[in-house]
Short mmCIF file of all heavy atoms in Angstrom, two decimals:
data_model
loop_
_atom_site.label_atom_id
_atom_site.label_comp_id
_atom_site.label_asym_id
_atom_site.label_seq_id
_atom_site.Cartn_x
_atom_site.Cartn_y
_atom_site.Cartn_z
N MET A 1 10.58 -17.41 -7.13
CA MET A 1 9.59 -16.46 -6.70
C MET A 1 10.31 -15.27 -6.07
O MET A 1 11.19 -15.43 -5.25
CB MET A 1 8.67 -17.13 -5.67
CG MET A 1 7.58 -16.23 -5.18
SD MET A 1 6.48 -17.02 -3.97
CE MET A 1 5.77 -18.32 -4.96
N SER A 2 9.93 -14.08 -6.43
CA SER A 2 10.59 -12.91 -5.89
C SER A 2 9.98 -12.53 -4.55
O SER A 2 8.80 -12.72 -4.31
CB SER A 2 10.48 -11.74 -6.86
OG SER A 2 9.13 -11.34 -6.98
N LYS A 3 10.83 -12.01 -3.70
CA LYS A 3 10.36 -11.53 -2.40
C LYS A 3 10.15 -10.03 -2.52
O LYS A 3 11.00 -9.31 -3.03
CB LYS A 3 11.38 -11.84 -1.32
CG LYS A 3 11.53 -13.32 -1.09
CD LYS A 3 12.49 -13.59 0.03
CE LYS A 3 12.64 -15.08 0.20
NZ LYS A 3 13.49 -15.42 1.32
N LYS A 4 9.02 -9.58 -2.05
CA LYS A 4 8.67 -8.19 -2.20
C LYS A 4 8.07 -7.69 -0.89
O LYS A 4 7.22 -8.34 -0.31
CB LYS A 4 7.66 -8.08 -3.34
CG LYS A 4 7.07 -6.75 -3.57
CD LYS A 4 6.16 -6.83 -4.78
CE LYS A 4 4.90 -6.07 -4.55
NZ LYS A 4 4.00 -6.11 -5.67
N LYS A 5 8.53 -6.54 -0.43
CA LYS A 5 7.94 -5.96 0.76
C LYS A 5 6.58 -5.38 0.41
O LYS A 5 6.39 -4.78 -0.63
CB LYS A 5 8.84 -4.87 1.33
CG LYS A 5 10.06 -5.42 2.01
CD LYS A 5 10.78 -4.36 2.78
CE LYS A 5 11.96 -4.97 3.49
NZ LYS A 5 12.63 -4.03 4.35
N VAL A 6 5.64 -5.58 1.29
CA VAL A 6 4.29 -5.08 1.09
C VAL A 6 4.12 -3.84 1.97
O VAL A 6 4.46 -3.86 3.14
CB VAL A 6 3.25 -6.16 1.49
CG1 VAL A 6 1.85 -5.66 1.24
CG2 VAL A 6 3.52 -7.43 0.71
N ASN A 7 3.59 -2.79 1.40
CA ASN A 7 3.46 -1.54 2.14
C ASN A 7 2.04 -1.28 2.62
O ASN A 7 1.46 -0.26 2.33
CB ASN A 7 3.93 -0.37 1.26
CG ASN A 7 5.41 -0.44 0.96
OD1 ASN A 7 6.18 -0.80 1.84
ND2 ASN A 7 5.81 -0.11 -0.24
N PHE A 8 1.51 -2.20 3.39
CA PHE A 8 0.20 -2.01 3.99
C PHE A 8 0.40 -1.52 5.41
O PHE A 8 1.35 -1.89 6.07
CB PHE A 8 -0.60 -3.31 4.00
CG PHE A 8 -0.98 -3.78 2.64
CD1 PHE A 8 -0.41 -4.92 2.12
CD2 PHE A 8 -1.91 -3.09 1.88
CE1 PHE A 8 -0.76 -5.38 0.86
CE2 PHE A 8 -2.26 -3.54 0.62
CZ PHE A 8 -1.69 -4.68 0.11
N GLU A 9 -0.51 -0.73 5.90
CA GLU A 9 -0.38 -0.19 7.25
C GLU A 9 -1.15 -0.99 8.28
O GLU A 9 -1.15 -0.63 9.45
CB GLU A 9 -0.82 1.27 7.25
CG GLU A 9 0.09 2.13 6.41
CD GLU A 9 -0.19 3.61 6.57
OE1 GLU A 9 -0.77 3.99 7.60
OE2 GLU A 9 0.19 4.36 5.68
N PHE A 10 -1.79 -2.07 7.89
CA PHE A 10 -2.60 -2.81 8.85
C PHE A 10 -1.88 -3.99 9.48
O PHE A 10 -2.48 -4.79 10.16
CB PHE A 10 -3.90 -3.30 8.19
CG PHE A 10 -3.69 -4.14 6.97
CD1 PHE A 10 -3.41 -5.49 7.06
CD2 PHE A 10 -3.78 -3.57 5.72
CE1 PHE A 10 -3.21 -6.27 5.93
CE2 PHE A 10 -3.59 -4.34 4.57
CZ PHE A 10 -3.30 -5.68 4.69
N PHE A 11 -0.58 -4.11 9.31
CA PHE A 11 0.17 -5.19 9.92
C PHE A 11 0.27 -4.97 11.43
O PHE A 11 0.39 -3.85 11.90
CB PHE A 11 1.57 -5.29 9.33
CG PHE A 11 1.59 -5.79 7.93
CD1 PHE A 11 1.82 -4.95 6.87
CD2 PHE A 11 1.35 -7.13 7.65
CE1 PHE A 11 1.83 -5.43 5.57
CE2 PHE A 11 1.36 -7.62 6.36
CZ PHE A 11 1.60 -6.75 5.32
N ASP A 12 0.24 -6.06 12.17
CA ASP A 12 0.43 -5.96 13.61
C ASP A 12 1.69 -6.74 13.99
O ASP A 12 2.54 -6.98 13.15
CB ASP A 12 -0.80 -6.44 14.37
CG ASP A 12 -1.19 -7.87 14.03
OD1 ASP A 12 -0.32 -8.64 13.57
OD2 ASP A 12 -2.35 -8.23 14.24
N ASP A 13 1.80 -7.13 15.22
CA ASP A 13 3.03 -7.78 15.67
C ASP A 13 2.99 -9.31 15.60
O ASP A 13 3.87 -9.96 16.11
CB ASP A 13 3.38 -7.33 17.09
CG ASP A 13 2.34 -7.74 18.11
OD1 ASP A 13 1.23 -8.13 17.72
OD2 ASP A 13 2.65 -7.65 19.31
N CYS A 14 1.98 -9.87 14.95
CA CYS A 14 1.95 -11.33 14.84
C CYS A 14 3.04 -11.79 13.87
O CYS A 14 3.38 -11.09 12.92
CB CYS A 14 0.58 -11.83 14.43
SG CYS A 14 0.27 -11.91 12.66
N PRO A 15 3.62 -12.96 14.12
CA PRO A 15 4.71 -13.46 13.27
C PRO A 15 4.33 -13.59 11.79
O PRO A 15 5.16 -13.36 10.92
CB PRO A 15 5.05 -14.82 13.87
CG PRO A 15 4.62 -14.71 15.29
CD PRO A 15 3.40 -13.84 15.27
N ILE A 16 3.10 -13.94 11.51
CA ILE A 16 2.67 -14.10 10.12
C ILE A 16 2.64 -12.74 9.43
O ILE A 16 3.17 -12.57 8.33
CB ILE A 16 1.31 -14.80 10.04
CG1 ILE A 16 1.41 -16.18 10.68
CG2 ILE A 16 0.83 -14.90 8.60
CD1 ILE A 16 0.08 -16.80 11.03
N CYS A 17 2.04 -11.76 10.09
CA CYS A 17 1.97 -10.40 9.52
C CYS A 17 3.37 -9.83 9.34
O CYS A 17 3.67 -9.20 8.32
CB CYS A 17 1.16 -9.49 10.42
SG CYS A 17 -0.59 -9.90 10.47
N GLN A 18 4.23 -10.03 10.31
CA GLN A 18 5.59 -9.51 10.22
C GLN A 18 6.37 -10.16 9.07
O GLN A 18 7.11 -9.50 8.36
CB GLN A 18 6.33 -9.67 11.54
CG GLN A 18 5.80 -8.76 12.63
CD GLN A 18 5.90 -7.30 12.24
OE1 GLN A 18 6.96 -6.81 11.86
NE2 GLN A 18 4.78 -6.60 12.32
N ALA A 19 6.20 -11.46 8.89
CA ALA A 19 6.88 -12.15 7.79
C ALA A 19 6.40 -11.60 6.45
O ALA A 19 7.20 -11.38 5.54
CB ALA A 19 6.63 -13.66 7.88
N MET A 20 5.11 -11.37 6.35
CA MET A 20 4.56 -10.81 5.10
C MET A 20 5.09 -9.40 4.88
O MET A 20 5.50 -9.04 3.77
CB MET A 20 3.04 -10.82 5.15
CG MET A 20 2.45 -12.21 5.09
SD MET A 20 0.67 -12.23 5.34
CE MET A 20 0.08 -11.14 4.09
N LYS A 21 5.11 -8.61 5.92
CA LYS A 21 5.56 -7.23 5.82
C LYS A 21 7.03 -7.16 5.40
O LYS A 21 7.42 -6.31 4.61
CB LYS A 21 5.37 -6.53 7.17
CG LYS A 21 5.80 -5.08 7.17
CD LYS A 21 5.55 -4.46 8.53
CE LYS A 21 5.98 -3.01 8.55
NZ LYS A 21 5.77 -2.41 9.88
N GLU A 22 7.83 -8.07 5.91
CA GLU A 22 9.27 -8.08 5.64
C GLU A 22 9.63 -8.85 4.37
O GLU A 22 10.79 -9.00 4.05
CB GLU A 22 10.01 -8.65 6.83
CG GLU A 22 9.85 -7.80 8.09
CD GLU A 22 10.33 -8.50 9.34
OE1 GLU A 22 10.90 -9.61 9.24
OE2 GLU A 22 10.12 -7.93 10.43
N GLY A 23 8.63 -9.36 3.68
CA GLY A 23 8.90 -10.11 2.46
C GLY A 23 9.46 -11.49 2.71
O GLY A 23 10.11 -12.07 1.86
N LYS A 24 9.22 -12.02 3.90
CA LYS A 24 9.76 -13.34 4.28
C LYS A 24 8.68 -14.41 4.28
O LYS A 24 8.74 -15.36 5.04
CB LYS A 24 10.40 -13.26 5.66
CG LYS A 24 11.59 -12.33 5.71
CD LYS A 24 12.18 -12.29 7.09
CE LYS A 24 13.36 -11.35 7.15
NZ LYS A 24 13.87 -11.20 8.51
N ALA A 25 7.69 -14.26 3.45
CA ALA A 25 6.61 -15.25 3.37
C ALA A 25 6.39 -15.66 1.92
O ALA A 25 5.28 -15.92 1.51
CB ALA A 25 5.33 -14.68 3.98
N GLY A 26 7.47 -15.72 1.17
CA GLY A 26 7.37 -16.01 -0.25
C GLY A 26 7.38 -17.49 -0.60
O GLY A 26 7.02 -17.86 -1.70
N THR A 27 7.79 -18.32 0.35
CA THR A 27 7.81 -19.76 0.09
C THR A 27 6.96 -20.47 1.12
O THR A 27 6.67 -19.92 2.19
CB THR A 27 9.25 -20.33 0.16
OG1 THR A 27 9.71 -20.23 1.51
CG2 THR A 27 10.20 -19.59 -0.77
N SER A 28 6.59 -21.69 0.83
CA SER A 28 5.77 -22.44 1.78
C SER A 28 6.55 -22.71 3.06
O SER A 28 5.97 -22.70 4.15
CB SER A 28 5.26 -23.74 1.16
OG SER A 28 6.35 -24.57 0.79
N GLU A 29 7.85 -22.92 2.97
CA GLU A 29 8.65 -23.15 4.18
C GLU A 29 8.68 -21.91 5.06
O GLU A 29 8.60 -22.01 6.28
CB GLU A 29 10.08 -23.58 3.82
CG GLU A 29 10.17 -25.01 3.34
CD GLU A 29 9.63 -26.01 4.36
OE1 GLU A 29 9.94 -25.90 5.56
OE2 GLU A 29 8.86 -26.90 3.94
N GLU A 30 8.80 -20.74 4.44
CA GLU A 30 8.79 -19.50 5.23
C GLU A 30 7.43 -19.29 5.89
O GLU A 30 7.35 -18.86 7.04
CB GLU A 30 9.13 -18.31 4.33
CG GLU A 30 10.59 -18.30 3.89
CD GLU A 30 10.89 -17.26 2.84
OE1 GLU A 30 9.99 -16.90 2.05
OE2 GLU A 30 12.05 -16.81 2.82
N LEU A 31 6.36 -19.60 5.18
CA LEU A 31 5.03 -19.48 5.76
C LEU A 31 4.83 -20.47 6.90
O LEU A 31 4.27 -20.13 7.94
CB LEU A 31 3.95 -19.71 4.69
CG LEU A 31 3.62 -18.50 3.85
CD1 LEU A 31 2.66 -18.89 2.72
CD2 LEU A 31 3.02 -17.39 4.68
N LYS A 32 5.30 -21.70 6.72
CA LYS A 32 5.19 -22.70 7.79
C LYS A 32 5.92 -22.22 9.04
O LYS A 32 5.42 -22.37 10.16
CB LYS A 32 5.78 -24.04 7.33
CG LYS A 32 4.91 -24.78 6.35
CD LYS A 32 5.59 -26.06 5.92
CE LYS A 32 4.81 -26.76 4.83
NZ LYS A 32 5.48 -27.99 4.38
N GLU A 33 7.09 -21.64 8.85
CA GLU A 33 7.87 -21.14 9.98
C GLU A 33 7.10 -20.01 10.69
O GLU A 33 7.03 -19.97 11.92
CB GLU A 33 9.22 -20.63 9.51
CG GLU A 33 10.11 -20.15 10.62
CD GLU A 33 11.46 -19.69 10.12
OE1 GLU A 33 11.95 -20.24 9.11
OE2 GLU A 33 12.02 -18.78 10.74
N ALA A 34 6.52 -19.10 9.93
CA ALA A 34 5.76 -17.99 10.51
C ALA A 34 4.54 -18.52 11.27
O ALA A 34 4.23 -18.05 12.37
CB ALA A 34 5.34 -17.01 9.42
N PHE A 35 3.84 -19.49 10.69
CA PHE A 35 2.68 -20.06 11.37
C PHE A 35 3.09 -20.79 12.64
O PHE A 35 2.40 -20.73 13.66
CB PHE A 35 1.90 -20.99 10.44
CG PHE A 35 0.86 -20.28 9.62
CD1 PHE A 35 1.18 -19.75 8.38
CD2 PHE A 35 -0.44 -20.14 10.08
CE1 PHE A 35 0.24 -19.09 7.62
CE2 PHE A 35 -1.40 -19.48 9.33
CZ PHE A 35 -1.06 -18.96 8.10
N GLN A 36 4.23 -21.48 12.61
CA GLN A 36 4.71 -22.18 13.80
C GLN A 36 5.03 -21.17 14.91
O GLN A 36 4.69 -21.38 16.06
CB GLN A 36 5.94 -23.03 13.48
CG GLN A 36 6.44 -23.84 14.66
CD GLN A 36 5.41 -24.83 15.17
OE1 GLN A 36 4.72 -25.48 14.41
NE2 GLN A 36 5.30 -24.92 16.48
N LYS A 37 5.67 -20.06 14.55
CA LYS A 37 5.98 -19.02 15.54
C LYS A 37 4.69 -18.45 16.13
O LYS A 37 4.62 -18.19 17.33
CB LYS A 37 6.82 -17.91 14.91
CG LYS A 37 8.24 -18.32 14.66
CD LYS A 37 9.02 -17.20 14.02
CE LYS A 37 10.44 -17.62 13.68
NZ LYS A 37 11.18 -16.55 13.01
N ALA A 38 3.69 -18.25 15.27
CA ALA A 38 2.41 -17.73 15.75
C ALA A 38 1.77 -18.72 16.71
O ALA A 38 1.24 -18.34 17.76
CB ALA A 38 1.48 -17.45 14.57
N LYS A 39 1.84 -20.00 16.39
CA LYS A 39 1.26 -21.03 17.25
C LYS A 39 1.97 -21.04 18.61
O LYS A 39 1.33 -21.14 19.65
CB LYS A 39 1.38 -22.41 16.59
CG LYS A 39 0.75 -23.52 17.39
CD LYS A 39 0.82 -24.84 16.67
CE LYS A 39 0.15 -25.93 17.50
NZ LYS A 39 0.23 -27.23 16.84
N GLU A 40 3.29 -20.90 18.60
CA GLU A 40 4.05 -20.88 19.85
C GLU A 40 3.70 -19.68 20.71
O GLU A 40 3.82 -19.73 21.92
CB GLU A 40 5.55 -20.89 19.53
CG GLU A 40 6.02 -22.22 18.96
CD GLU A 40 7.42 -22.17 18.38
OE1 GLU A 40 8.09 -21.11 18.45
OE2 GLU A 40 7.85 -23.20 17.83
N LYS A 41 3.25 -18.59 20.08
CA LYS A 41 2.84 -17.40 20.83
C LYS A 41 1.39 -17.46 21.26
O LYS A 41 0.88 -16.52 21.84
CB LYS A 41 3.07 -16.14 19.98
CG LYS A 41 4.51 -15.76 19.85
CD LYS A 41 4.63 -14.42 19.17
CE LYS A 41 6.03 -13.89 19.30
NZ LYS A 41 6.10 -12.48 18.90
N GLY A 42 0.71 -18.56 20.95
CA GLY A 42 -0.65 -18.74 21.42
C GLY A 42 -1.74 -18.57 20.37
O GLY A 42 -2.92 -18.67 20.69
N ALA A 43 -1.37 -18.32 19.14
CA ALA A 43 -2.37 -18.19 18.09
C ALA A 43 -3.00 -19.55 17.80
O ALA A 43 -2.38 -20.59 18.00
CB ALA A 43 -1.74 -17.65 16.80
N ILE A 44 -4.23 -19.52 17.37
CA ILE A 44 -4.91 -20.75 17.00
C ILE A 44 -4.67 -20.98 15.53
O ILE A 44 -5.15 -20.22 14.68
CB ILE A 44 -6.42 -20.67 17.29
CG1 ILE A 44 -6.63 -20.46 18.79
CG2 ILE A 44 -7.14 -21.92 16.79
CD1 ILE A 44 -8.06 -20.15 19.16
N VAL A 45 -3.87 -21.97 15.23
CA VAL A 45 -3.57 -22.33 13.84
C VAL A 45 -3.87 -23.80 13.68
O VAL A 45 -3.85 -24.56 14.63
CB VAL A 45 -2.11 -22.01 13.44
CG1 VAL A 45 -1.83 -20.54 13.52
CG2 VAL A 45 -1.14 -22.77 14.30
N GLY A 46 -4.15 -24.20 12.49
CA GLY A 46 -4.46 -25.60 12.27
C GLY A 46 -4.20 -25.99 10.84
O GLY A 46 -3.54 -25.29 10.09
N GLY A 47 -4.71 -27.12 10.51
CA GLY A 47 -4.52 -27.62 9.17
C GLY A 47 -3.66 -28.86 9.17
O GLY A 47 -3.12 -29.29 10.20
N GLU A 48 -3.55 -29.43 8.03
CA GLU A 48 -2.83 -30.69 7.87
C GLU A 48 -1.39 -30.62 8.35
O GLU A 48 -0.88 -31.53 8.99
CB GLU A 48 -2.86 -31.08 6.39
CG GLU A 48 -2.28 -32.44 6.10
CD GLU A 48 -2.43 -32.80 4.64
OE1 GLU A 48 -3.49 -32.53 4.05
OE2 GLU A 48 -1.45 -33.33 4.08
N MET A 49 -0.71 -29.53 8.09
CA MET A 49 0.69 -29.39 8.47
C MET A 49 0.86 -29.55 9.99
O MET A 49 1.74 -30.26 10.46
CB MET A 49 1.22 -28.02 8.06
CG MET A 49 2.61 -27.72 8.55
SD MET A 49 3.19 -26.10 8.08
CE MET A 49 2.19 -25.06 9.12
N PHE A 50 -0.01 -28.94 10.78
CA PHE A 50 0.12 -29.00 12.22
C PHE A 50 -0.41 -30.30 12.78
O PHE A 50 0.09 -30.79 13.78
CB PHE A 50 -0.57 -27.80 12.86
CG PHE A 50 0.17 -26.53 12.58
CD1 PHE A 50 -0.25 -25.67 11.59
CD2 PHE A 50 1.32 -26.21 13.28
CE1 PHE A 50 0.45 -24.51 11.31
CE2 PHE A 50 2.02 -25.06 13.01
CZ PHE A 50 1.58 -24.20 12.02
N GLU A 51 -1.42 -30.88 12.16
CA GLU A 51 -1.94 -32.17 12.62
C GLU A 51 -0.88 -33.25 12.51
O GLU A 51 -0.72 -34.06 13.40
CB GLU A 51 -3.18 -32.54 11.82
CG GLU A 51 -4.36 -31.64 12.13
CD GLU A 51 -5.52 -31.83 11.15
OE1 GLU A 51 -5.47 -32.74 10.30
OE2 GLU A 51 -6.47 -31.05 11.24
N LYS A 52 -0.14 -33.26 11.40
CA LYS A 52 0.92 -34.25 11.23
C LYS A 52 2.04 -34.04 12.24
O LYS A 52 2.55 -34.99 12.81
CB LYS A 52 1.49 -34.16 9.80
CG LYS A 52 0.59 -34.71 8.75
CD LYS A 52 1.23 -34.61 7.38
CE LYS A 52 0.31 -35.13 6.30
NZ LYS A 52 0.91 -35.00 4.97
N ARG A 53 2.43 -32.81 12.49
CA ARG A 53 3.50 -32.53 13.44
C ARG A 53 3.10 -32.93 14.86
O ARG A 53 3.91 -33.42 15.62
CB ARG A 53 3.86 -31.04 13.42
CG ARG A 53 4.69 -30.65 12.26
CD ARG A 53 5.10 -29.21 12.41
NE ARG A 53 5.87 -28.78 11.26
CZ ARG A 53 6.28 -27.55 11.07
NH1 ARG A 53 6.00 -26.62 11.94
NH2 ARG A 53 6.97 -27.24 10.00
N ASP A 54 1.84 -32.65 15.23
CA ASP A 54 1.39 -32.95 16.59
C ASP A 54 1.35 -34.45 16.85
O ASP A 54 1.53 -34.89 17.98
CB ASP A 54 0.02 -32.33 16.85
CG ASP A 54 0.07 -30.80 16.91
OD1 ASP A 54 1.18 -30.25 17.10
OD2 ASP A 54 -0.98 -30.17 16.77
N LYS A 55 1.12 -35.26 15.82
CA LYS A 55 1.05 -36.72 15.97
C LYS A 55 2.44 -37.33 16.09
O LYS A 55 2.58 -38.41 16.62
CB LYS A 55 0.30 -37.34 14.79
CG LYS A 55 -1.17 -37.03 14.83
CD LYS A 55 -1.87 -37.65 13.63
CE LYS A 55 -3.35 -37.29 13.61
NZ LYS A 55 -4.03 -37.83 12.43
N GLU A 56 3.45 -36.66 15.57
CA GLU A 56 4.80 -37.24 15.57
C GLU A 56 5.50 -37.08 16.89
O GLU A 56 5.25 -36.37 17.73
CB GLU A 56 5.64 -36.58 14.47
CG GLU A 56 5.13 -36.92 13.10
CD GLU A 56 5.88 -36.18 11.99
OE1 GLU A 56 6.69 -35.29 12.27
OE2 GLU A 56 5.64 -36.52 10.84
#
């Protein structure tokens, strides 16, 4: 999968938006990392990935 910078002007300083803006959200692992960073900064994230991690 190719990584491509997106030229939208609506990005803010959240880790997910920044990863997308910088082209660092092209794989599921990169997205998981961005979502984890967002969660650590206080964002409300959820889903199966986080439920499994929280139980471990």
